[in-house]
C-alpha cells in the first residue's frame, strides 16, 4: 500500500534522470532568467499611460505636470524593457552558455530606444483607433469611453507596441505582448501584421489576424473574423517554410462582418464589404460586396 | 550615435507639447479620478457573495450569521459603489472642471441605492439562471457546480447588475462591468440587453448580445452566437444614430445553436430553434425550426 | 425619501429570511470550505514548472539542482492538492454535515497521489504537444517559444492534469482547472475528453471539445472548432441523461479548420481533413477531405 | 576550485542527515501546520475594529450598520481563531503524530468562544485605557488620537486579548500575539500579567512587564521601566522552576518614571511614585515617593 | 452547552447597543474616512526618494532624468498628502457631520503646498544629518551607507517632514508619521521638537525627545536618552495643561551618552557632555562635563 | 496666491539643479541597482527555514522530503544572495561607472558560496541558542516556542548570517541584515561582533552590542544592556579612526542584567555577574559580582 504522505522517490527520479527531460527543460543562457510576464504587464501599463495620459495610472494629469510624468515613465520603460528584451534575446541565443554574446549585450537597449522614439507616432495611430471605435459603434457614447474600456483599443495598444518591436527584430517578447492581449480580449493579432490608421474591431472575440497580413486605413472587423493562411509550402523535410507572405491584404475602407473567413495571400480591394460567415479565398476588386451566396431562410 | 541610457528629451516634448495630445489626454473633472477596475472587481466580488452566500468569500455561512454578513456586505457595496458611480458620472460630465455639478453630486448615491433595492429580485433571477444551467447541460453534475464555476453564471451576475445600473442611467460603469465579464468568459453582453428568466449560455466563447436585444424566458444559446445589428441608420452627418432598437427579439423557449447569427430588429417566435451556423435576418413565427438550407456532406 | 447613507434593513431581511435563499446559499459540509481558485492556480503553476523546468518559476535549472526543485515542488503539490480535492469531495458529499465521511477522508490523498504517479507520462505527452505546436505553426520560431507562450500548451497542461483527476473520479476540481484555462485562452476542453499524442490547437479562441470526445494522435484544430453533442436523450422526467457518449471520435492525423462544427457520436476517419466552417453530423471514412459544398464567391 | 553556480551536495547532506537536525527540525503533529503570523495579524485587525469601530477598517460606521459589521467580524474571528488555536495546541501536543487527540480537537473552539464572550468587558477596559492616555499625556490633543495612534493602546489591545487566551490555557498563541506588539512598540508585556483599569504607558520603548505581575487601576509607566524577576528558584536539576509568582505587585494609582527597575515579588503600595532610574527590590508602603538617593549633579 | 459554531447574538448586542460604545466608536465627519497608514507610508517613501534620489525607489537616477522623477513624485505627494491631511482635519473637526467646513476644505491643500515649498531646505538638513552620522560613527564606512540604512536617518526624514506639517498646524498626521518611525526604530521624537543641523542619534532604541525640546547644531545622542518633562502644571480640573514649554534646550555641540535622562525646561550649555545614565534636572553652563557622581566599581 | 493644484516648477528646479544635490544623490555604478530590502527579507526567510525546517515556511517537513526542500532553498539563496551581494559591492565600488570591476564581478558569488558552506555550523550554533533561551527563561514552556517566537532567536539568526558575511568582507549587506533585526526586535548587534555558543538575550529591547565585542559561551544579557565603546581615538583630521578594538570582551558564563552599561576594551572575567543599571568601564576578574554600589531605597 502506498504511503500517501510521502513523495515517491521514483517519480522524482523519473522526472529528473537526464534522459527524461531533454525537450522539456530549458537551461538558461548567459545566466539570464526567462522574460517575466509581470514585468511586461508593468511595462505595458506604463506605455498605456504614456500614450493616453489621464486615462490610466495617475488621473490628475494637467498641462503643468504632464512632462514630469511622461519623462519619468519613459525612463522607467527604457530601464525595464531593456532588461526584458535582453531576456528575450538570450532565450533565443544559440551561442555558448556562459559568455554574453555581442548581440544579446547590445541589441536590447538599442531596440528599446527605437521603441521610445516611435512612441509619438504610435500615440497618433492609437488616438485615431479610438476615434474609429467611437465613430463605428452606435453603442459608444463618448470618445473617452472607447479609450478607457474597449477591447479593440486594449488589443491595439499591445499590437502597435509589439509590431514596432517585431520590426526591429526583437525575438519572443512581441509574441508575449500579443498573447497578453489575446488572453484578455480573445483577439489574436500576430505582431507581424501591418495595420493602417483608424482600425476598429467590434466585440472582437475569436478574431485572428495572421503574421503577414497587410491592412489599410479605415478598416473595420467584427467578432470571429479570420484573416488566415490557406496552406503552407513545405520544405524538403516536409516542414512548413516559415516567413512567406501567406495572409490577406485588406485595402482601405474594407469592412468584414462577423464570422467571415479570408484565407491566403489575397487582396480585398478598397471599399469592399465582406458579409458575415463568408468564406473567401480569392482576391476581389475594390468596392465589392461579398455576401453568402446561399439562399437565406 | 544615440545615448541609449538617456530618455531622449525630444520624445518627451513630442509627447507633451500641448498640440500633440489633445485627443489622447483626459483631464479630470471635479477633481475626481477615473473609475477603478480594482474597486469594481471588489464590488462585484461582494455582490456575488451577497447573491450566492457560501459559494463565494466566506464559506461558513449559517442561518445564524447570514444576516450579519449580508448587511455588512451591502453597506460596503453602497459605500464603494457610490464612489465609483461618482467617478463614472464625472468622467462623462460636460460642465466646468472645478465645481461639482448637482447631477454628479446626487445621482451616484441614488443609483447605488436603487441597485441595493433591486438585489432580492436579481438574486431570484440568478438562482433560476443557475437552475437553467444545471438542467440544460448534461455534463453538469450538481446545481451548485454551475453556480460555482460556469461561465454562464459568471457573466450573468455581471450582466444583471450592470443592466440594473444601465436602467437607472449610470454612465460608463455598466459597460466596465460587462467588459470585465467579457474578458473573463469571451461572452459580450451589452448592459442594455433585456434578458428574462432561466437564461443559459453553454460554453459561451464568442457570444455577442447587442444593446437593444429583448430575450424572453427559458432561452438557451451556445458558443459563438451573435444577436447583432444589421445596419445603422445614419444621421445627417453620416454618423450612426445611437440608441435605436436594432437587435433581435427572442421570445420564450428559444434555442440558438453554436455559430448562428441573427441580425436586426427581428423576432424569433416562442419555442423556435435556430440551428448551428444559421444566418438569419428575418423574423420567424413561433415554433419554427431553422436549419441550414444547404445539403450537408 | 430614502436615506441613501443607510443600508435598508428590509433588503437585508429580504435576502436573509430562510425561505428566500434556499437554492442560492451553500451550507458547507464537514466544516470544509469551498475550493480555492488561488490555491488551484498555485498548484497549476507548480505543476507547470515540474513538467517544464526552467521555463516557469525558477529559471536557473541545472542538472545539479533539478532533483531538489522537482522533489520540493512535488511535495508541495501533494500537500496543497490533497486539501483542494478534499474540498471538492465535501462540496459534492451528500452525507450529514458534521461527520467527515470515509470517502471525503481518504479519496483526496489517494487521488492526489495517483496524479503524482502519472506526471512522468503527462510530461512526455506535453513535450510532444509542444513539438506539435512548433512543427505545425509556420510562425513559431523555436520549440521553446511554444512551451513558454502558446495558448495551446497552456490549455493542454491544464487539460492533461484535469483529465487524470477526472479519470480517478475527482468531483468539481477538474472542471475548475478546465475553466481556468478556458477563461485564459477561450478554449473549452471538458476534462473528460480523451486526447492522444501531439495535439495542437492553433489560435484556439472559441474551440469547444465535449466530455466524451475521443481524439487520436497528431490531430490539429483551428480556432472556433466545435466538437459537440447533437442532442441529448432525455430520461423519464424530461431531463438530459448524463454521461452517455455523445461527442465525436477523431482518429489519428485529422485536421479540422477554423469554424468547423462536428456534432454527435460520429467518427472522423484517420487522416481526414475537415474544412473551415464545415457543418458535419455524420461519420466519414479515413482520408476524407470534407469541404464546404457550396460554391465560393 | 569550487563551482560557485552549484549547490554543494555535501552541504545539503550535512543539513539533512538524520543525526544532524534533531533539535532544529519541527515535525508537525496531527497533520496540522504551524500557527500563521499573517492569520494572527488578520485576527488582531478584526478584533481592533470590533473594539474600536470607526477607527480601524471600515470608517463609515453608523448606528444603523454597526450590528452587521460587528456580527460579521465576530463570526470571522471565531472561524479564524479556532484554526490558529488548534495549531497552537497541536504544536504543544505530546501525543502520537497521526491521531488528533481530544484536547486538540475540542479546546480551540471552546477557548475562541470564551474570548468572544469576554469582548464586551475587554472593550470597556480598552476604552478606559484610551481615556487614561488622553488624560495622562499633555501632548495628546484628542481622546480619539490616543485610540488611533498611541503605542500604549496598540500594545494593550494585544495584551488584553492575549491575557484572556492565556487565562483559558491556550498555549503559544498568546505569546505570539504579545510578540507582535512587542516588535511594533518595543513594549514587552507577558500575556500572563494582570493589569487593572486605566493603564497607560507613555512612549513605552524598553518597558518589560513580567508574567506574574499584578497591576492595579490608574497605573502609569514611562519608557524603559522594568517590572522583572529577581532570581529564579531552581529545581533539583538546576533548571528554573516555571510558574512561580516572581514579579512585582503595583497597587492602584502608582506611577513609575522612565528607566526605573522593580524586581521580585514586591508590593508597591497604592499611590506611590517611583522615580526615574530607581532600582527597587523591596516592597514600599502606600503613598511612598521613591527617588534616586544619590545627589544629583 | 454553548454552540461553539455560532456567534452569540447577545455578545453582538452587548457590543452594539447604543449605550455600550459611546467612547469606543468613531463616527466620521464630512463623510471622510480615517487617515490611511498605507497612504502615509507611500507618501513617506516618495518623499524619501525625492530627498535622496538614487538611494530609494528608482536606482538609475542620472542628471538627465532627475527632473522628471522629482517632478512626478512631487505631484504625487501633493495629491496624496492633500487627501490624508483632509482626513486628519476632518477627524479633529468639531463642526456638524454632513457639511464640509471651510477649514477642512482649504487647509489641507495649503499645508501640503507649504511642505512642498519647504523640501529644498529639508533636503539640505537631511544631507547634513547623514554627514553627521558618517562622521560620528566609527563603524560607518561610507557616507551613503548612513543614508541608506541608519535608523538615525530614517527617523530624521520622518521628523523633519512631520515637524514642518506640525508648524503649519496640521492635526494628527504629524503624530502618525512620527509613530511610524518610532515603531521602526524605537526612537520617539515628538513632531513639535525643534532640531538644528547635523543631528545624529547612534543606535537610538529607547530615545525620547519631547514636544517642546529645542536642540541646536551638531548635537549627538546615544540610545535610551530621554529629553523629557519633569512635571506638568495642572489646570483647575486637575488635568495637565497642554502646550507649555516643558522639555530641555540643548545648545550647539552637546553630546548625551546612553541612558542619560534630562528633564524639564533646562538648558544644557553649548559644548557640554552629559555622561551615560546621568540624571539631570537643572541647567548647566556651556562646556560642562556631567558624569555620574557615584564611585564606579 | 499660489495655485495649490500645481507642483511649483521652482521647487522642482531647486531640488534638481546639479549643484543642489551633490551629497544627496546616489548615482549607481556598473548599471547595478541598490540592494533590495525585499530580496534580503526573502533570503533571510529561506535561511531561517533551512536552519529550522518545519518551523518556518513549509510545515510538513518529514525525513523523506527534507533533502528536497533544503536543496531547493539553498539553490535559491545562492542565486538571490549573489545578486544582492553584487549590489552591495557595486554600491561601495570606487572605480569607473560603466565597467564592471573584477572585485564586483567575482566576490559576490564567492562570498555567497562561503555562507552556504558555513550553514551547518551556523545551524548548530542557533540550535544551541534556542536551547539557551529555553533553559534561561522560566516563562518558556517548550524548546520549540523559543525557536518560533523569541526575539533573541530572531536577532541571532540574522546576526550569525550577517557575521559570516562580514568575516568574508562583504560590504553593506551585513549591516542591512542587522538593521532588519534591529528594527523588529530593538536589539542592535553589529555584524562584526563575535559571539560564542548558547547566547541568550531576554526581552532585549534597547540592547546594543558593538562591532569589536568578543562574547564567550553561555552568556546571557537582559534588555537595555550596552556593550559599547568609551571613546574613539581620532586621526590627524579629528575623525574617529575606524576598525580599532574598542568594545568589551565577555568571557564564558557571564550574565549582564537589565540596563547595565559596559564600555571600552575591558574584559569581564568568566562567570561574572554584572547587576542591573551598573556602569562599568574597567575589567573585572573571573567570578566577579558587580552590583550598584549605591544604597538602595
Amino acid at each position: 500500500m502506498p504511503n500517501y504522505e510521502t513523495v515517491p522517490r521514483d517519480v522524482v527520479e523519473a522526472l529528473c534522470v537526464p534522459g527524461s527531460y531533454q525537450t522539456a527543460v530549458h537551461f538558461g543562457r548567459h545566466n539570464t532568467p526567462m522574460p517575466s510576464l509581470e514585468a511586461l504587464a508593468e511595462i505595458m501599463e506604463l506605455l498605456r499611460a504614456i500614450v493616453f495620459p489621464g486615462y490610466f495610472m495617475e488621473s490628475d494629469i494637467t498641462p503643468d505636470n504632464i512632462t514630469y510624468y511622461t519623462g519619468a515613465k519613459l525612463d522607467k520603460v527604457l530601464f525595464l524593457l531593456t532588461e526584458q528584451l535582453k531576456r528575450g534575446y538570450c532565450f533565443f541565443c544559440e551561442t555558448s552558455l556562459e559568455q554574453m554574446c555581442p548581440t544579446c549585450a547590445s541589441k536590447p537597449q538599442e531596440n528599446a530606444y527605437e521603441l521610445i522614439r516611435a512612441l509619438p507616432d504610435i500615440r497618433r495611430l492609437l488616438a485615431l483607433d479610438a476615434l474609429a471605435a467611437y465613430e463605428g459603434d452606435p453603442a459608444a457614447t463618448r470618445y473617452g469611453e472607447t479609450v478607457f474600456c474597449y477591447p479593440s483599443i486594449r488589443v491595439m495598444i499591445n499590437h502597435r507596441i509589439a509590431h514596432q518591436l517585431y520590426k526591429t527584430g526583437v525575438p519572443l517578447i512581441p509574441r508575449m505582448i500579443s498573447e497578453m492581449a489575446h488572453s484578455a480580449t480573445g483577439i489574436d493579432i500576430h505582431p507581424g501584421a501591418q495595420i493602417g490608421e483608424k482600425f476598429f474591431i467590434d466585440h472582437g472575440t475569436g478574431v485572428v489576424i495572421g503574421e503577414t497580413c497587410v491592412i489599410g486605413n479605415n478598416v473595420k472587423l467584427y467578432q470571429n473574423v479570420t484573416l488566415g493562411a490557406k496552406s503552407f509550402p513545405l520544405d524538403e523535410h516536409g516542414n512548413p517554410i516559415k516567413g512567406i507572405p501567406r495572409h490577406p491584404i485588406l485595402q482601405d475602407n474594407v469592412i468584414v462582418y462577423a464570422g467571415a473567413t479570408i484565407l491566403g495571400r489575397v487582396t480585398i480591394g478598397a471599399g469592399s464589404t465582406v458579409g458575415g460567415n463568408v468564406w473567401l479565398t480569392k482576391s476581389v476588386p475594390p468596392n465589392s460586396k461579398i455576401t453568402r451566396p446561399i439562399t437565406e431562410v
Side-chain angles (χ1 to χ4, degrees), chain A residues 217-245:
Chain A
N217 297 333
N218 294 303
V219 169
K220 182 174 177 183
L221 308 183
Y222 284 82
Q223 70 271 20
N224 282 319
V225 164
T226 294
L227 307 179
K230 200 168 170 187
S231 65
F232 321 134
L234 304 182
D235 65 14
E236 70 258 45
H237 308 297
N239 292 327
I241 302 176
K242 314 218 163 194
I244 290 176

Side-chain angles (χ1 to χ4, degrees), chain A residues 48-251:
Chain A
R48 195 157 45 218
I50 288 167
V51 168
F52 291 118
Y55 286 101
F56 303 108
M57 301 189 75
E58 298 80 13
S59 293
D60 65 327
I61 292 297
T62 65
D64 286 311
N65 63 22
I66 192 170
T67 300
Y68 299 137
Y69 279 118
T70 301
K73 286 194 174 68
L74 280 177
D75 188 75
K76 214 168 278 189
V77 165
L78 195 51
F79 183 82
L80 294 172
L81 184 59
T82 299
E83 170 67 21
Q84 295 306 312
L85 296 188
K86 196 184 78 176
R87 297 181 180 196
Y89 272 103
C90 292
F91 179 76
F92 269 61
C93 185
E94 283 167 349
T95 60
S96 78
L97 291 177
E98 286 293 330
Q99 209 66 357
M100 178 69 82
C101 71
T103 299
C104 294
S106 68
K107 292 293 287 180
Q109 205 167 35
E110 186 183 324
N111 297 155
Y113 196 78
E114 287 163 329
L115 175 67
I116 296 291
R117 296 214 71 87
L119 281 175
D121 194 53
I122 289 175
R123 205 246 294 272
R124 184 184 63 80
L125 290 169
L126 287 168
L128 290 172
D129 291 335
L131 189 60
Y134 173 61
E135 291 174 355
D137 179 10
T141 48
R142 289 290 187 294
Y143 172 81
E145 183 186 20
T146 64
V147 174
F148 191 55
C149 65
Y150 269 44
S152 180
I153 302 305
R154 188 163 178 181
V155 79
M156 286 309 292
I157 293 172
N158 281 34
H159 175 69
R160 295 205 184 274
I161 302 292
H163 181 61
Q164 165 62 28
L165 294 171
Y166 174 95
K167 282 195 296 184
T168 57
V170 170
L172 192 60
I173 305 297
R175 181 66 189 247
M176 291 178 72
I177 292 173
S178 294
E179 282 299 339
M180 287 160 67
H182 181 196
S183 179
T185 64
I187 300 170
D188 185 0
I189 310 181
H190 193 285
Q194 300 169 48
I195 301 181
E197 294 181 354
K198 294 193 76 177
F199 182 65
F200 176 47
I201 306 173
D202 204 359
H203 310 299
T205 314
V207 164
V208 171
I209 301 177
E211 183 177 15
T212 62
C213 279
V214 180
I215 296 178
N217 297 333
N218 294 303
V219 169
K220 182 174 177 183
L221 308 183
Y222 284 82
Q223 70 271 20
N224 282 319
V225 164
T226 294
L227 307 179
K230 200 168 170 187
S231 65
F232 321 134
L234 304 182
D235 65 14
E236 70 258 45
H237 308 297
N239 292 327
I241 302 176
K242 314 218 163 194
I244 290 176
R246 59 196 185 277
H247 301 98
I249 296 167
L250 273 62
Q251 296 181 336

